[in-house]
Amino acid sequence: MAKIRFMALEQLASRESSGAKSAKPSALFADDVFTMSKMRTYLSIEAYRKLEKAMAEGEPIDRSLADQVASAMKAWAMEKGVTHYTHWFAPLNGATAEKHDSFIDLLPDGTAIESFDGKLLIQQEPDASSFPNGGIRNTFEARGYTAWDPASPAFINNGTLCIPTVFVAYTGEALDFKTPMLKALAAIDKAATEICQYFDKDVKKVYATLGWEQEYFLVDEALYNARPDLKLCGRTLMGHQSAKDQQLEDHYFGSIPGRVTAFMEELEQECHKLGIPVKTRHNEVAPNQFECAPVFEEANLAVDHNQLLMSTIKKIARKHRFRALLHEKPYKGVNGSGKHNNWSLMTDTGVNLLSPGRNPKSNMQFLIFLVSTVKAVSEYADLFKACIVSLGNESRLGGDEAPPVVMSVFLGQYLSSVLDELEKKVTDRKMTPDEKTELKLNVGRIPEIMLDNTDRNRTSPFAFTGNRFEFRAVGSSANCGGPMIVLNTAVAKQLADFKNEVESLVENGVKRDEAIFQTLRQYIIDSKKIRFEGNGYSREWLKEAEARGLSTEQDCIPSLRAYISEKAKSLFVGMGIFSERELEARFEIKNEIYMKKLQIEARVMGDLALNHIIPIAIVYQNRLLENVRGLKEMFGDASFYAPQLENIRSVSSHINTISVLVDEMIEARKKANTIEDMVKRAEEYTEKVRPYLEKIRYEIDKLELMVDDEIWPLPKYRELLFSR
Ligand code: ADP
Ligand code: MG
């Protein structure tokens, strides 16, 4: 199974066999990864073959083989000066977790040795009681365990041997992203392979592929340190817009500033050593916003690599005296950061199933995968939305070039017309053979047309881009595992349904080609409501989307309910991805995380308002007062100090409003905190606490424009966005 997963790695790491280091980036590639080719060196031939076979067939690895792999890993790692190892996993707080253990062990005679065996490789029992568990694991029975995922290779990071693992409760429920994602990837493999078998008996396996595009901001370290909101919330809670930001569109693809280039070069080098095939780097639309993207990989590996990339970006940024902001909307009024998930399906024979073929047969296949994906988004639109919403993404979606919160699929003019035609052609009668050929030929023209079809709709949350779908609504700080679970499960379900429908038609005497056309047509009709080619920002779309029955809910908390809907339960439980309890736990965790982040923001806002902004505003107010007193003494005539008086009134009024609002916000928070039920508390926070953040900000941003720049306590947007 894992063979293809390693293919990209192996290809890019081919220099390994060539030995000597050169200056080429490929020379470093996967230097810190225990790749298959390294295993070949460190394992006996027999053990290597056994491992390869077990991985290819997805079978469990027995203890004696695990012992051999562990000892090979240890030998390799120790040669590189490594002394510690850790199981590396992705708990539901969205971060990655590791608990380091030393290789060191004591023999009965008191001498120390380095040891690492199969048992330690395969499984650990971290006392991980403080990871979010949504009620699955009480703290008094805090045992969870991590188990090796042989499909993702071990690597060395920060001098520690990291072993990618799943993380589950002692009772078996998943507490991470990887466990259900591996199940979803297995489900899509099965369903897609069965469809491929209609066309090519050689296809034995289908892999989901993922190429993420990671957007982020850099900010100078000193400025960052002077902004408690950036430090504690990852975003600015206040700050008046800079006179110039992105309106001239002069940052996008502009030349990359020297200090940033140095950072990027080191980041890329570090990524390459870790086997992350980053390839593209450029400036993004907002000032100080950047993007990096890799060559796509098998989805499980790509998800691990994105997690690793996020921590590496942060690490390298610090070395260059920057801080990296992965928050979806660090600055109001300029573009936020997303993480487009480019997704497709690839057979073990090397065919991209979402790439239009050059002959009628492969185009039939293409259409099945295309239409089933569209149908999956249509059927489970609410889940597609639920898996990407978060407190951070809430402020990104719907503005400044991010997609709106309404789910829709963009296919581009040409494919839309192909689907429309297919739908019409068979409305009330069977297609004639000529029509079928014509249709297949039309589809056959897609590749050429797609090539120069740069018809990109930036406002679409889910767009077809020639040979893949691009899920653009995903937030920049998210673990891609969340969307990958929903997308692969939903499409797997549609493909399985597709096959069942075709087969039942065939059983009733319909020819298979005809059965496929009929089912396609039905799917096209059923999923029409999700297709949208227009401007996702327009008011008309919001209205129309509502009329189409699509969710236009703007808020995160109500959108999360999709996780516990009957539809979600029947999908996930039916496909064997989540139990009901696991779904409920995930729902609760998402509510909890949202609520806690909002709580932190409200606290930081209160602190900044009371301890930073108001005192400075008072200092300024006193200066004005003194000034007025002096003017009055000297001139007596009110016309001499009228503008200052007006200023004093204004400053005072903002100060008063801020204090009242902060008091009210604190009260609202206290009240919300008494609510036991996590979901209700999150709702209360959304409704009663959240609005204060904007209201208080408004007043503070006005003050920022009045108070003497010299004493204003926080770095301003123009500094944060333009210093580098
Ligand atoms: P753009 O900004 O135009 O969308 P980028 O080059 O920044 O393009 O990103 C495109 C991403 O799509 C890359 O990560 C690339 O590897 C990925 N990609 C290309 N083909 C596929 C595919 N078949 N499956 C998954 N991802 C793909
Ligand atoms: Mg893209």
Side-chain angles (χ1 to χ4, degrees):
M1 170 172 72
K3 206 165 165 195
I4 262 217
R5 293 188 165 142
F6 284 111
M7 231 160 58
L9 269 183
E10 295 286 284
Q11 272 168 17
L12 284 149
S14 56
R15 68 100 212 164
E16 278 185 75
S17 45
S18 72
K21 284 202 174 170
S22 76
K24 285 186 285 183
S26 62
L28 280 180
F29 196 80
D31 218 33
D32 290 341
V33 184
F34 197 49
T35 57
M36 290 302 270
S37 55
K38 289 196 186 93
M39 287 200 214
R40 204 158 43 217
T41 322
Y42 284 84
L43 283 174
S44 69
I45 289 282
E46 198 195 342
Y48 178 78
R49 294 246 164 84
K50 255 168 83 181
L51 179 68
E52 208 182 28
K53 186 163 180 289
M55 285 163 103
E57 283 154 25
E59 276 176 11
I61 286 161
D62 67 39
R63 179 60 200 276
S64 101
L65 181 56
D67 278 340
Q68 293 177 67
V69 176
S71 118
M73 259 182 206
K74 187 190 75 180
W76 167 72
M78 282 178 58
E79 271 168 34
K80 290 182 135 293
V82 169
T83 53
H84 286 67
Y85 68 94
T86 181
H87 278 198
W88 182 82
F89 55 100
L92 294 168
N93 58 14
T96 44
E98 36 195 271
K99 175 185 151 233
H100 298 188
D101 279 307
S102 160
F103 286 135
I104 211 146
D105 210 357
L106 283 184
L107 293 174
D109 67 359
T111 47
I113 53 156
E114 269 79 23
S115 93
F116 180 58
D117 62 12
K119 192 167 145 260
L120 296 172
L121 166 66
I122 290 183
Q123 193 170 314
Q124 265 191 340
E125 278 185 30
D127 174 20
S129 48
S130 42
F131 290 119
N133 62 71
I136 280 182
R137 208 161 26 93
N138 295 320
T139 29
F140 55 84
E141 45 177 47
R143 277 189 303 176
Y145 65 89
T146 51
W148 180 35
D149 166 23
S152 186
F155 56 90
I156 296 170
N157 195 23
N158 302 326
T160 301
L161 174 67
C162 300
I163 298 150
T165 57
V166 296
F167 178 43
V168 288
Y170 205 69
T171 41
E173 283 98 353
L175 294 171
D176 68 348
F177 288 99
K178 196 188 257 283
T179 310
M181 187 181 65
L182 289 174
K183 292 180 182 169
L185 294 174
I188 195 134
D189 167 24
K190 179 168 181 290
T193 305
E194 283 177 5
I195 298 279
C196 290
Q197 286 274 318
Y198 284 159
F199 304 95
D200 181 355
K201 293 280 177 222
D202 285 342
V203 174
K204 297 284 184 279
K205 201 140 195 74
V206 172
Y207 302 88
T209 52
L210 167 65
W212 36 259
E213 297 161 58
Q214 178 74 51
E215 294 179 335
Y216 59 94
F217 280 84
L218 289 178
V219 58
D220 180 82
E221 179 177 78
L223 298 176
Y224 172 89
N225 283 331
R227 292 282 318 208
D229 47 358
L230 276 183
K231 286 177 81 164
L232 299 181
C233 312
R235 74 162 176 124
T236 53
L237 296 174
M238 56 196 65
H240 197 277
Q241 229 171 318
S242 168
K244 172 184 187 291
D245 45 49
Q246 62 189 42
Q247 53 290 61
L248 299 178
E249 293 170 341
D250 50 357
H251 187 252
Y252 192 54
F253 284 14
S255 72
I256 302 172
R259 186 175 161 207
V260 177
T261 309
F263 152 80
M264 283 180 172
E265 275 166 5
E266 190 171 346
L267 172 65
E268 281 174 11
Q269 204 174 68
E270 194 74 10
C271 285
H272 288 155
K273 282 200 271 181
L274 288 165
I276 309 171
V278 290
K279 189 175 168 66
T280 311
R281 62 177 186 210
H282 60 75
N283 284 358
E284 259 306 324
V285 174
N288 273 351
Q289 190 188 24
F290 306 93
E291 177 186 302
C292 95
V295 177
F296 69 89
E297 299 176 284
E298 184 280 325
N300 177 35
L301 196 55
V303 171
D304 280 354
H305 279 166
N306 182 254
Q307 287 295 110
L308 198 49
L309 172 94
M310 290 196 284
S311 57
T312 310
I313 289 185
K314 288 187 193 156
K315 182 175 86 181
I316 306 296
R318 277 172 177 262
K319 279 182 74 176
H320 291 257
R321 300 192 158 267
F322 283 123
R323 284 293 189 278
L325 306 176
L326 295 176
H327 192 282
E328 283 74 15
K329 194 81 174 180
Y331 305 107
K332 191 179 171 183
V334 297
N335 279 22
S337 299
K339 173 148 53 201
H340 297 178
N341 277 206
N342 293 271
W343 169 90
S344 189
L345 295 169
M346 170 95 81
T347 66
D348 56 354
T349 56
V351 173
N352 176 355
L353 294 168
L354 286 171
S355 193
R358 292 195 180 267
N359 59 51
K361 194 174 88 173
S362 55
N363 276 323
M364 283 281 277
Q365 183 172 289
F366 163 71
L367 275 181
I368 296 176
F369 285 98
L370 180 90
V371 170
S372 298
T373 307
V374 177
K375 173 97 186 310
V377 186
S378 168
E379 223 31 59
Y380 301 104
D382 291 351
L383 267 177
F384 276 76
K385 183 164 159 181
C387 73
I388 54 94
V389 289
S390 64
L391 181 63
N393 220 4
E394 204 172 51
S395 43
R396 164 186 170 247
L397 296 176
D400 302 303
E401 297 194 24
V405 285
V406 184
M407 260 309 138
S408 67
V409 178
F410 173 85
L411 289 180
Q413 217 182 355
Y414 190 80
L415 271 184
S416 294
S417 68
V418 169
L419 296 202
D420 290 345
E421 201 179 331
L422 183 56
E423 179 192 335
K424 263 187 282 155
K425 278 265 158 59
V426 263
T427 310
D428 40 21
R429 60 182 170 79
K430 279 188 172 178
M431 284 167 100
T432 66
D434 274 358
E435 280 173 331
K436 268 190 223 163
T437 314
E438 187 199 314
L439 189 70
K440 288 176 182 175
L441 281 177
N442 257 345
V443 179
R445 279 190 226 120
I446 295 170
E448 287 100 90
I449 289 176
M450 290 311 288
L451 280 183
D452 43 58
N453 185 356
T454 42
D455 182 15
R456 299 285 201 89
N457 185 337
R458 279 183 177 263
T459 65
S460 175
F462 198 90
F464 186 72
T465 50
N467 59 2
R468 60 187 189 268
F469 277 100
E470 201 171 320
F471 194 1
R472 301 204 183 110
V474 184
S476 50
S477 67
N479 181 318
C480 304
M484 282 299 114
I485 294 167
V486 169
L487 173 57
N488 288 293
T489 306
V491 176
K493 166 83 171 113
Q494 285 312 314
L495 291 171
D497 286 357
F498 189 94
K499 182 168 171 269
N500 288 339
E501 272 151 55
V502 167
E503 251 136 60
S504 78
L505 285 170
V506 170
E507 269 165 31
N508 289 321
V510 182
K511 278 214 175 119
R512 205 175 68 194
D513 252 20
E514 186 64 37
I516 289 177
F517 270 125
Q518 281 184 23
T519 312
L520 275 177
R521 179 184 157 251
Q522 195 53 50
Y523 271 32
I524 292 170
I525 295 169
D526 294 346
S527 60
K528 227 175 161 178
K529 69 163 199 272
I530 203 77
R531 278 164 51 202
F532 178 63
E533 302 285 308
N535 174 9
Y537 288 166
S538 62
R539 271 171 191 280
E540 296 79 61
W541 168 231
L542 222 60
K543 261 201 225 144
E544 191 184 326
E546 244 160 51
R548 289 186 188 190
L550 297 171
S551 158
T552 54
E553 176 60 62
Q554 303 284 320
D555 287 343
C556 172
I557 294 299
S559 303
L560 287 175
R561 292 217 158 261
Y563 269 109
I564 46 164
S565 64
E566 284 312 308
K567 206 156 186 178
K569 285 181 185 166
S570 107
L571 171 71
F572 285 121
V573 178
M575 296 295 287
I577 312 296
F578 286 124
S579 66
E580 267 192 42
R581 190 158 175 235
E582 285 174 315
L583 271 179
E584 273 155 18
R586 251 151 239 260
F587 169 66
E588 191 172 321
I589 291 166
K590 280 177 175 268
N591 276 278
E592 183 180 343
I593 292 175
Y594 180 95
M595 189 282 294
K596 287 186 172 159
K597 286 191 171 166
L598 192 49
Q599 187 177 48
I600 294 170
E601 288 193 351
R603 283 182 178 160
V604 172
M605 176 58 105
D607 171 40
L608 282 176
L610 299 183
N611 302 319
H612 292 62
I613 307 298
I614 290 185
I616 289 297
I618 290 174
V619 169
Y620 182 61
Q621 192 184 36
N622 282 337
R623 277 193 200 170
L624 292 173
L625 279 170
E626 219 167 288
N627 179 248
V628 166
R629 235 179 262 126
L631 288 168
K632 199 171 176 183
E633 226 174 77
M634 187 156 293
F635 302 106
D637 184 348
S639 69
F640 281 96
Y641 50 86
Q644 284 88 330
L645 269 186
E646 200 37 57
N647 266 353
I648 294 171
R649 269 193 208 104
S650 230
V651 170
S652 304
S653 133
H654 288 305
I655 291 175
N656 292 344
T657 315
I658 292 171
S659 353
V660 171
L661 288 172
V662 170
D663 282 349
E664 283 176 18
M665 178 174 72
I666 292 171
E667 277 314 305
R669 222 168 61 219
K670 276 191 193 154
K671 197 166 152 242
N673 290 344
T674 60
I675 301 174
E676 276 296 317
D677 183 286
M678 188 58 74
V679 178
K680 293 214 174 79
R681 201 192 303 170
E683 279 165 6
E684 179 84 359
Y685 258 90
T686 305
E687 281 166 29
K688 301 282 164 54
V689 180
R690 193 183 54 172
Y692 283 106
L693 288 171
E694 271 311 301
K695 286 188 201 160
I696 298 170
R697 173 184 193 139
Y698 175 83
E699 303 294 326
I700 295 179
D701 289 358
K702 288 278 178 227
L703 273 180
E704 186 189 313
L705 291 182
M706 309 175 92
V707 173
D708 185 352
D709 183 57
E710 213 162 312
I711 56 170
W712 188 252
L714 301 172
K716 296 183 174 175
Y717 267 29
R718 61 169 183 260
E719 291 148 343
L720 296 166
L721 286 167
F722 286 97
S723 305
R724 55 193 170 226

